[in-house]
Amino acid sequence: MPAVQETVEQVRSIDVDQYKYGFFTDIESEKAPKGLDEDTVRFISAKKNEPEWMLEWRLEAFRRWQTMREPDWARVSYPAIDYQNLYYYSAPKRPSQLSIDDIDPEILATYEKLGIPLRERDALLGIESAGGSRVAVDAVFDSVSVATTFKEELAKAGVIFMPISEAIREYPELVKKYLGSVVPVTDNFFATLNSAVFSDGSFVYVPKGVRCPMELSTYFRINERNTGQFERTLIIADEGAYVSYLEGCTAPMRDENQLHAAVVELVALADAEIKYSTVQNWYPGDKDGKGGIFNFVTKRGDCRGDRSKISWTQVETGSAITWKYPSCILRGDNSQGEFYSIAISNGRQQVDSGTKMIHLGKNTSSRIISKGIAAGYSDNTYRGLVSAHRKATGARNFTNCDSLLIGDKCGAHTVPYIESKNSSAHFEHEATTSKISEDQLFYCRQRGLDPEEATALIVNGFVKDVLQQLPMEFAVEAQKLISVSLEGSVG
Amino acid sequence: MNADIRPIRTPAEQALVSALGSLPETGGGRLADLRRASARAFVENGLPHRRVEEWKYTDLRNLMREAVPLASPATVARADAGARLLNGADLRRIVVANGAVVRELSDLDGLEEGLSIATLADALASGDAVLGQLGGIVPARYDAALALNTALASDGLVITVAPGAQIERPVHVAHVFAGDIAAASFARSLVIVGAGAHFTYAESFEGPEGLAYQANVATEFVVGDEAHLDVVRLQEEGAAAIHLATLLFDVGRKAQLHTFGFSSGAAVARTSLYATLSGADSHVAFNGAVLVKDRQHVDSTLFVDHTVPGCESRELFKHVLDDNSRAVFQGKIVVRQAAQKTDGRMMSRALLLGDDAEMDNKPELEIFADDVACGHGATCGAIDEDLLFYLRARGIPLKEAQSLLVQAFVGEAIELVENDVLREALVERAEGWLRARG
Amino acid sequence: MAMLEIDNLHAKIDGDEGKEILKGLSLKVNPGEVHAIMGPNGSGKSTLSYILAGKEDYEVTDGSVTLDGEDLLEMEIDERAAKGVFLAFQYPIEVPGVATMTFLRAALNAQRKKRGEAEISTPDFLRLVKAKSGALGINPDMLKRGVNVGFSGGEKKRMEILQMAILEPKICILDETDSGLDIDALKVVSEGVNALRSPDRGMIVITHYQRLLNHIVPDFVHVMNKGRIVRSGGKELALELEANGYAEYQQDAA
């Protein structure tokens, strides 16, 4: 397979500590005044021409947030975040979302550098040749969505794919019905903050019986200094619908930490299926732990209808701090939840990530495959909850979490909570932690691979079960990222 | 802000705080200081509740609301203290009733060479030098049950096994709650097994069926280099009792330590086991069987700390839950950076027989050394329908088939008990539990 | 000068104060020659193969090993591989999740790159693997599976020979390649090895039993005991050992 070769190439071509997405795009932007109060919330809402009900919703969240405390149960430590020293809104000065030609050429160039073609014809050429399928892209630059591709073609199929700021105006009934219905406004400190100040994100609605004709994708980019990014994504798959959604993230290299607190809500009605894939490669900070993104994300899917299915796949290689637990509420009978995760930490990164599978309906099933790789001075924690409630007759879960340690200065931790209140529920959990096998390394090196090539190859094998869950285009990208992330970890 | 709001004390907390208040304010020595510090810690923190991570599933503040007086040792020196458990076996028996050693019921004569047994009360009175080791093993975080025990226990046993001594006959400490007044008893013991010595320690717990008494025991074990210690516990407290046990281990180089806990008694039981592996290349195994029914709540919490290289730890717990019972297993293996070549495996399995039973599993790994092989597993579910069908197709009635399968399930853990006499006694207790189930 | 020259090699387990495993072993292998090394269990045969491949668990305390005049002991494991040292493992290692095809290609290209050669093109690589695996009776499905994962003993050994055929080493070290093989598998593997005999390539065949040497006929046979070669001869020496066993050498050395 050429991918591994590319992986190996990638390792060779990149110097230690080089983060290839770490450039900054110099464009004029418009910001809300620094700090956060009710006026900031009003400013954001006004910028988005939001209806009154939305502003009220935000203000309620903001008031609630003021009474909340930052959670401290995760195994991460970081300097206190000064919420008054951040910009909560930053937008490129040119008007966005008019037509592709109105977008600042600098932004277009940025996305091209990132490998995300925004022009539809480019997308057709570029991505079709790679993966054989087309991908519709919504690109979010700091606080606003700058371009959504293939909108018209999707509209023909009845699929709504647009920035959430637009959906609030155009489909208020849908938004009102579903926004906050999976992650309530009061859910947790970061989600509540997001509810107050989110500026953009993607909205997807796939109507009854429709199989979305292409992969949908959002690309997030933090550009501005001292800017928090708070995007909000809402995806609804109506009865019998299917959608696959991809998310990618990058940020410039900066000395100071940047805050990212997103909320993603998924709703799958009866017989619907949502597949949500993330390749998270926010800037992780330098080798001494300076700079990097603080990534506090709430992602939750609600299998609301019978026989519905939600599948999360994540490849987490970036961010200084990752605090993220994509979860499934298995409400509908016979509904299914899946969580496939690769979390790689190197340098001074700290990852605390996992999932929650809440079994409420009958004969619900869930599957968790988590692969954690810790290198350098990093800490990598899997934290998960599997629970069966009294009425979850016949619930099933299988969990496998494996951790690999590379070097003796890092830590790998596993904290699963497994709670069964139903005797017919059947849960199986297994976890292992080990170091990369000396025998495997010797074998690979005897065949001619150098230590870094051998490590990359073995690690790619270790995470294969998860990589297989990703759409083709992402799998190749993810494989490269894994090798790059482990750069410098082999002594 | 939902900051640290001081919760209102429950009646149980109030009673305990006032009992602690009656401790002498002065008095010298390390142990007196330790007592006062523990008392202060309790007054400050109170009983743990569900927001205290280690007690998440056993909200003691809620489960132990009623105030009971401290058990009075005066009422216990009665011949009818009735220690029934493990009576048939050839063990050196010592009876501890309501937290105090009952000499006339205890076999303290003709001790083997190298074995010494004293009561804690005597040791305290005579200022025995060995007490310098009491309170020497300290958990990383405040533990309410242990703090109460440290502050309030006045008797128990101090057992030392001289280096190299091979003590064949197990010592059995039979804890009994006697009387008809619900009260709280506290016993504290210290067991020191010298380098290269071999020792088997058994303890049992029992009391009146309907009485809501509280038994709090804590035992510290210092396991010397290359020593071999087996610990077997049989917890069959009365059905209304609250049982709080803390076991603390410090394990030396190349030592072998095996513990087994059988727990089928009490309304609420919590056993916290803290083991620090402080000498390289030791082998430890902490196993257990928990059989619960009705509304029983039994919590087994383990904390195994690998601080040195080359140690092997094994944990296997089997839980059988009938009716509305609840069992909790929390097991944490920590591997410090220096503890290279650690081999740790932990497994918790649960069989849910009752429709409304609840099993909470929280196995944890916290690993800072890279050259390790560690793992944990947890399963819970009903009896395998296919197996049941197979047995029934061979003509075995349903209940009997269930019993056979449960026995096999629990047997896998009990088998790990090395001492034949104790192992057989435990098999018998498991069978008895199943028979009583009908 | 011989292609491979082992001179007075002494070695012990790294970090172990204990006694030496190799105690002054010398051997010369010229291109085109097949040397069999026989000896009782524990004589140091496998240690020799690991030291030649560069396994880090051993420490060479004296002596030298050169390949085409270059100091082999100074080279990294993968450098030796690129120079043409190939070890067919007695117990091939499983690498889960890494497809055999991926592995073969990664190894081949890594070696070519180290030698300053161009990478092999995809069609050429596929043709190469197809031709070589067909001859060894290796099912194409096996190549899609993880390296050695779920393979039978015979399949693992055939896979080692396939790797040897594709990587085209200069010096092949076969460590107990016959262990765990039934007679049919032994034939297939031996034919595979014989097909690789060439005037440019040397081989060291390590085995406990003579039966492998019926199939891979050596030019020289060496008897190894207690860390050194105690007797050398032609292929007839193997038959003698088969008849008389190792007893006399073990006494001699004692």
Side-chain angles (χ1 to χ4, degrees):
Chain A
M1 233 176 67
V4 168
Q5 207 43 57
E6 284 166 32
T7 299
V8 163
E9 274 296 291
Q10 197 86 10
V11 173
R12 296 187 157 220
S13 62
I14 287 188
D15 292 329
V16 182
D17 296 331
Q18 190 177 327
Y19 175 75
K20 103 175 192 195
Y21 308 99
F23 55 85
F24 165 70
T25 309
D26 194 8
I27 47 153
E28 267 194 283
S29 66
E30 184 180 14
K31 289 181 194 145
K34 209 180 223 181
L36 179 56
D37 55 19
E38 287 202 5
D39 288 342
T40 321
V41 177
R42 287 177 203 281
F43 176 93
I44 294 168
S45 188
K47 273 284 157 201
K48 298 287 171 187
N49 293 320
E50 282 176 357
E52 189 60 26
W53 63 267
M54 194 63 227
L55 175 62
E56 277 313 311
W57 197 84
R58 285 176 181 277
L59 288 171
E60 194 196 315
F62 177 69
R63 287 166 199 146
R64 177 75 185 205
W65 179 74
Q66 287 176 301
T67 69
M68 295 168 90
R69 279 212 302 180
E70 216 170 303
D72 60 2
W73 42 261
R75 214 197 149 79
V76 292
S77 62
Y78 50 91
I81 298 169
D82 181 357
Y83 291 92
Q84 296 306 331
N85 192 30
L86 287 177
Y87 292 103
Y88 287 81
Y89 182 84
S90 164
K93 261 215 173 128
R94 292 234 198 155
S96 70
Q97 284 292 331
L98 294 175
S99 103
I100 215 96
D101 296 314
D102 293 326
I103 296 176
D104 192 318
E106 283 291 318
I107 293 180
L108 275 183
T110 299
Y111 277 97
E112 251 154 55
K113 250 195 232 182
L114 294 168
I116 313 294
L118 288 184
R119 286 168 188 272
E120 293 179 21
R121 62 179 150 75
D122 289 353
L124 272 167
L125 290 173
I127 298 186
E128 197 156 37
S129 60
S133 62
R134 288 174 302 151
V135 180
V137 180
D138 181 16
V140 177
F141 201 79
D142 288 336
S143 300
V144 295
S145 178
V146 290
T148 308
T149 62
F150 289 111
K151 240 168 129 170
E152 278 158 34
E153 196 173 334
L154 286 166
K156 266 185 232 152
V159 175
I160 305 171
F161 179 39
M162 57 171 55
I164 198 160
S165 52
E166 240 173 281
I168 289 167
R169 296 191 299 268
E170 290 184 30
Y171 299 95
E173 291 317 309
L174 275 178
V175 175
K176 261 192 210 170
K177 184 169 176 189
Y178 292 106
L179 189 72
S181 74
V182 186
V183 179
V185 168
T186 56
D187 193 76
N188 70 71
F189 182 83
F190 296 109
T192 305
L193 174 61
N194 173 287
S195 300
V197 302
F198 77 85
S199 40
D200 224 327
S202 298
F203 175 82
V204 178
Y205 173 78
V206 187
K208 267 183 200 175
V210 171
R211 205 182 154 82
C212 186
M214 62 187 81
E215 306 267 0
L216 303 183
S217 172
T218 300
Y219 214 91
F220 296 105
R221 172 87 182 154
I222 298 178
N223 193 55
E224 275 300 317
R225 186 178 295 271
N226 286 336
T227 301
Q229 181 155 321
F230 306 91
E231 80 268 358
R232 183 105 192 175
T233 298
L234 175 59
I235 300 178
I236 302 133
D238 211 325
E239 289 173 18
Y242 169 84
V243 62
S244 168
Y245 185 91
L246 320 171
E247 171 194 71
C249 335
T250 60
M253 288 163 73
R254 292 194 182 284
D255 285 350
E256 71 272 24
N257 299 109
Q258 283 174 288
L259 178 64
H260 174 249
V263 172
V264 175
E265 294 179 278
L266 311 182
V267 180
L269 301 182
D271 299 295
E273 181 177 349
I274 302 174
K275 199 171 156 54
Y276 194 105
S277 313
T278 305
V279 174
Q280 185 266 106
N281 185 28
W282 297 118
Y283 177 54
D286 71 6
K287 68 179 192 323
D288 300 318
K290 197 161 189 208
I293 302 290
F294 290 168
N295 192 32
F296 296 94
V297 173
T298 305
K299 291 184 169 180
R300 197 172 302 153
D302 190 352
C303 286
R304 214 162 274 185
D306 294 349
R307 297 168 303 277
S308 55
K309 181 176 177 184
I310 289 178
S311 179
W312 297 100
T313 304
Q314 61 173 27
V315 178
E316 302 284 317
T317 63
S319 298
I321 306 268
T322 300
W323 180 101
K324 180 181 174 192
Y325 316 89
S327 302
C328 296
I329 300 165
L330 302 166
R331 204 184 298 276
D333 290 348
N334 298 293
S335 59
Q336 293 176 51
E338 292 176 337
F339 176 73
Y340 296 98
S341 171
I342 298 170
I344 300 186
S345 55
N346 198 354
R348 302 273 174 183
Q349 283 178 279
Q350 302 173 63
V351 180
D352 196 300
S353 184
T355 185
K356 290 184 197 175
M357 293 290 173
I358 314 285
H359 293 257
L360 301 175
K362 290 186 176 54
N363 298 315
T364 47
S365 65
S366 61
R367 189 178 164 82
I368 299 171
I369 307 286
S370 164
K371 305 281 182 180
I373 296 124
Y377 291 84
S378 68
D379 268 302
N380 201 322
T381 303
Y382 168 83
R383 189 182 301 278
L385 168 70
V386 176
S387 76
H389 284 241
R390 296 225 181 275
K391 289 178 182 159
T393 307
R396 293 278 176 279
N397 166 267
F398 175 76
T399 300
N400 171 285
C401 20
D402 294 327
S403 305
L404 202 62
L405 290 149
I406 302 176
D408 64 356
K409 301 284 186 292
C410 50
H413 319 296
T414 316
V415 191
Y417 298 78
I418 307 146
E419 306 172 357
S420 175
K421 293 190 170 90
N422 188 299
S423 65
S424 66
H426 189 90
F427 289 173
E428 269 182 68
H429 167 100
E430 55 184 48
T432 64
T433 302
S434 53
K435 79 164 180 169
I436 197 157
S437 152
E438 290 292 344
D439 285 341
Q440 287 175 358
L441 279 174
F442 176 61
Y443 191 70
C444 293
R445 291 188 65 196
Q446 207 299 306
R447 297 302 184 251
L449 301 176
D450 71 28
E452 250 170 23
E453 291 167 335
T455 304
L457 189 76
I458 293 165
V459 169
N460 269 315
F462 175 73
V463 301
K464 183 175 166 239
D465 292 350
V466 177
L467 280 181
Q468 277 175 339
Q469 300 298 326
L470 286 171
M472 181 64 169
E473 304 85 342
F474 261 35
V476 175
E477 174 79 2
Q479 211 166 20
K480 285 187 211 168
L481 260 182
I482 289 164
S483 303
V484 174
S485 306
L486 289 171
E487 177 71 16
S489 66
V490 181
Chain B
M1 303 285 265
N2 47 356
D4 304 319
I5 302 156
R6 264 306 314 143
I8 296 158
R9 291 197 205 278
T10 63
E13 284 176 321
Q14 274 163 10
L16 287 162
V17 167
S18 69
L20 292 166
S22 64
L23 287 174
E25 273 300 312
T26 53
R30 192 182 66 90
L31 288 175
D33 288 346
L34 201 61
R35 258 184 217 282
R36 280 192 294 268
S38 299
R40 266 198 307 279
F42 182 83
V43 172
E44 212 171 281
N45 296 286
L47 288 170
H49 46 83
R50 63 187 169 79
R51 281 191 302 278
V52 174
E53 182 64 24
E54 292 83 353
W55 296 79
K56 180 181 167 63
Y57 296 115
T58 300
D59 186 332
L60 207 54
R61 176 173 287 161
N62 199 28
L63 292 166
M64 197 172 120
R65 296 188 73 84
E66 298 310 314
V68 294
L70 297 190
S72 137
T75 63
V76 303
R78 296 185 307 184
D80 66 346
R84 297 168 290 113
L85 295 171
L86 300 173
N87 242 336
D90 176 29
L91 311 168
R92 177 182 296 280
R93 161 179 294 218
I94 296 158
V95 176
V96 178
N98 298 17
V101 178
V102 186
R103 284 187 168 277
E104 54 274 33
L105 295 177
S106 299
D107 178 5
L108 291 166
D109 299 325
L111 296 179
E112 293 92 330
E113 200 184 329
L115 176 64
S116 96
I117 303 177
T119 70
L120 179 66
D122 286 352
L124 285 168
S126 68
D128 193 329
V130 77
L131 292 182
Q133 296 193 55
L134 193 70
I137 310 172
V138 185
R141 294 186 57 174
Y142 163 74
D143 181 313
L146 180 63
L148 285 172
N149 186 283
T150 305
L152 294 169
S154 55
D155 202 1
L157 293 157
V158 177
I159 300 177
T160 53
V161 183
Q166 309 291 305
I167 309 298
E168 291 284 322
R169 192 168 169 229
V171 167
H172 169 212
V173 180
H175 290 265
V176 183
F177 192 89
D180 46 20
I181 298 163
S185 74
F186 297 86
R188 179 62 166 258
S189 298
L190 173 64
V191 178
I192 297 169
V193 183
H198 196 296
F199 186 54
T200 302
Y201 176 88
E203 55 185 11
S204 62
F205 301 89
E206 62 195 295
E209 274 310 300
L211 196 66
Y213 65 93
Q214 300 171 3
N216 180 325
V217 293
T219 307
E220 287 172 75
F221 297 89
V222 179
V223 187
D225 293 349
E226 297 182 42
H228 188 143
L229 172 66
D230 284 342
V231 176
V232 173
R233 307 181 77 242
L234 177 57
Q235 188 275 103
E236 291 196 13
E237 302 276 17
I242 294 177
H243 175 86
L244 299 174
T246 312
L247 301 171
L248 301 141
F249 295 92
D250 182 83
V251 184
R253 190 176 51 79
K254 288 190 177 165
Q256 296 225 37
L257 167 66
H258 300 135
T259 74
F260 189 91
F262 182 100
S263 211
S264 67
V268 174
R270 155 85 168 213
T271 307
S272 308
L273 188 155
Y274 299 92
T276 304
L277 310 187
S278 55
D281 303 319
S282 65
H283 175 97
V284 298
F286 304 107
N287 304 317
V290 173
L291 295 91
V292 280
K293 60 186 181 188
D294 300 329
R295 301 194 61 83
Q296 279 183 282
H297 178 121
V298 174
D299 176 333
S300 313
T301 292
L302 276 67
F303 185 91
V304 181
D305 194 355
H306 287 258
T307 68
V308 287
C311 297
E312 191 177 272
S313 65
R314 292 284 179 275
E315 292 83 27
L316 175 64
F317 270 72
K318 295 286 187 110
H319 306 84
V320 180
L321 297 89
D322 207 350
D323 306 323
N324 307 317
S325 61
R326 185 173 181 190
V328 175
F329 176 83
Q330 305 186 101
K332 185 168 183 175
I333 298 178
V334 178
V335 179
R336 313 261 169 199
Q337 206 192 328
Q340 295 291 353
K341 306 269 182 211
T342 288
D343 180 344
R345 309 239 164 246
M346 176 162 62
M347 175 58 89
S348 161
R349 292 189 188 281
L351 216 46
L352 275 64
L353 304 177
D355 285 344
D356 295 314
E358 174 173 349
M359 180 72 213
D360 299 307
N361 261 315
K362 189 188 167 202
E364 268 186 87
L365 293 170
E366 192 173 299
I367 294 174
F368 297 97
D370 65 331
D371 192 3
V372 299
C374 288
H376 65 223
T379 63
C380 63
I383 292 185
D384 187 332
E385 286 296 328
D386 293 341
L387 277 177
L388 213 50
F389 175 75
Y390 184 76
L391 293 184
R392 295 179 71 191
R394 293 291 176 268
I396 301 168
L398 177 64
K399 278 275 178 182
E400 198 183 330
Q402 281 183 341
S403 284
L404 277 172
L405 292 173
V406 171
Q407 229 164 287
F409 175 80
V410 175
E412 203 192 323
I414 297 180
E415 257 172 39
L416 299 169
V417 173
E418 247 177 66
N419 184 287
D420 296 338
V421 172
L422 290 167
R423 186 177 58 245
E424 275 158 32
L426 293 178
V427 169
E428 213 285 308
R429 300 315 296 175
E431 283 170 4
W433 187 86
L434 284 165
R435 270 197 307 277
R437 195 178 165 254
Chain C
M1 187 181 57
M3 177 171 69
L4 179 75
E5 281 202 29
I6 305 171
D7 184 39
N8 187 33
L9 190 63
H10 289 256
K12 63 183 186 74
I13 291 180
D14 197 20
D16 189 354
E17 290 302 305
K19 63 177 183 358
E20 291 186 324
I21 302 174
L22 297 185
K23 302 173 192 169
L25 185 139
S26 298
L27 180 69
K28 287 181 187 176
V29 180
N30 288 303
E33 293 176 355
V34 174
H35 292 250
I37 297 184
M38 301 183 70
N41 292 328
S43 56
K45 305 189 300 286
S46 286
T47 301
L48 173 64
S49 69
Y50 282 143
I51 287 173
L52 293 178
K55 201 166 196 227
E56 280 145 353
D57 307 356
Y58 301 95
E59 186 189 341
V60 172
T61 49
D62 200 6
S64 66
V65 181
T66 59
L67 181 69
D68 292 329
E70 286 185 88
D71 186 351
L72 194 68
L73 300 177
E74 279 301 301
M75 295 180 203
E76 290 294 319
I77 305 166
D78 38 304
E79 219 180 325
R80 299 182 198 205
K83 294 277 184 195
V85 175
F86 182 91
L87 171 62
F89 285 59
Q90 182 179 2
Y91 304 108
I93 308 295
E94 297 183 5
V95 191
V98 177
T100 305
M101 278 300 256
T102 307
F103 178 74
L104 287 174
R105 183 162 178 177
L108 181 60
N109 279 333
Q111 293 201 16
R112 291 172 76 118
K113 227 182 301 173
K114 281 197 186 74
R115 294 194 291 257
E117 299 163 16
E119 289 193 8
I120 189 166
S121 74
T122 304
D124 285 350
F125 176 70
L126 292 176
R127 263 195 295 276
L128 176 70
V129 174
K130 197 173 169 203
K132 304 285 187 190
S133 58
L136 284 159
I138 289 171
N139 186 329
D141 280 347
M142 268 172 72
L143 298 169
K144 291 181 194 153
R145 279 148 61 186
V147 177
N148 292 322
V149 177
F151 291 6
S152 70
E155 286 173 332
K156 284 183 182 172
K157 294 297 167 76
R158 267 185 280 168
M159 202 55 83
E160 293 292 284
I161 305 307
L162 174 64
Q163 292 179 33
M164 196 160 106
I166 285 171
L167 298 172
E168 299 187 305
K170 247 185 220 167
I171 179 93
C172 306
I173 305 148
L174 285 76
D175 188 6
E176 306 270 4
T177 294
D178 51 330
S179 69
L181 294 187
D182 62 28
I183 189 70
D184 291 332
L186 184 65
K187 260 189 188 155
V188 176
V189 167
S190 304
E191 279 164 20
V193 173
N194 286 330
L196 289 168
R197 290 179 80 151
S198 98
D200 318 318
R201 182 174 292 136
M203 290 192 186
I204 297 175
V205 180
I206 292 173
T207 181
H208 185 81
Y209 300 106
Q210 185 266 341
R211 69 168 189 168
L212 176 67
L213 305 181
N214 289 337
H215 299 274
I216 304 171
V217 180
D219 302 303
F220 304 94
V221 174
H222 309 277
V223 183
M224 190 167 168
N225 191 40
K226 300 206 170 156
R228 58 169 82 90
I229 286 170
V230 291
R231 191 174 159 198
S232 297
K235 63 181 178 233
E236 64 290 344
L237 179 55
L239 292 168
E240 191 188 312
L241 284 169
E242 180 76 354
N244 303 335
Y246 293 112
E248 66 172 290
Y249 301 100
Q250 286 170 296
Q251 277 161 10
D252 285 354

